[in-house]
Amino acid sequence: MSERQAAVTRTTAETDIELTLVLDGDGEATVETGIGFFDHMLESFAAHGLFDLTVRCDGDLEIDDHHTIEDVGLVLGEALDDALGDRRGIRRFADRQVPMDEAVAEVVLDISGRPFFAFDGEFSQERVGEFTSVLARHFVRSIATQAGLTLHASVEGQNAHHEIEALFKALAKTLDDATRLDERRTDTPSTKGEL
């Protein structure tokens, strides 16, 4: 695909995924994972990051939701890495706090090429619909690992739906900020000359 967009497919014994990502999009999403709340979160991610996103995942939901959520995160991270190319001209660093009612999430990231993930907080309920709450943390870590991000995230609140949704929105806004092109920069934002 052309610059700043990517298409990735991944087929394993656990999941079959097709995903496209356009960084400079309009926030349009078409998502089918078989997990209603996860679809809603991915649609929110696209809308708030102004990414165009399509995801089709056929996963082993008869076992549980783990493989679907983890593998979509891995594929999304790979697509993000591909779409960024040599990272020339990007802002690289960003941070955002996003509230949702009583909950607040924060994401701080560096598109560093060095995968690192830290998370602070707990989710107030074990599940939201068919979505296991702790897998939100796992999803974000999967993206960071595959895309080569240094990413610190935190959540607090009293309602897991709000905590997870704030996390997805904070991730979207932070990625939008960090991947945005800086008109003053034509090189890769590193003293090493590459990321």
Side-chain angles (χ1 to χ4, degrees), residues 179-195:
T179 61
R180 195 168 294 176
L181 296 173
D182 185 336
E183 62 188 27
R184 300 167 299 166
R185 182 180 291 283
T186 58
D187 59 348
T188 302
S190 170
T191 55
K192 295 189 296 283
E194 66 180 44
L195 290 171

Side-chain angles (χ1 to χ4, degrees), residues 104-107 117-123 137 151-157 163 167:
V104 65
E106 180 176 27
V107 172
F117 178 71
F119 186 87
D120 185 36
E122 301 291 332
F123 298 102
R137 176 177 61 214
L151 195 155
H152 296 254
S154 63
V155 297
E156 60 181 69
E163 293 155 0
L167 177 62

Side-chain angles (χ1 to χ4, degrees), residues 37 99-104 128 159-167:
F37 182 71
M100 184 167 184
D101 298 345
E102 88 300 337
V104 65
V128 179
N159 178 302
H161 183 137
H162 297 166
E163 293 155 0
I164 295 166
E165 189 160 348
L167 177 62

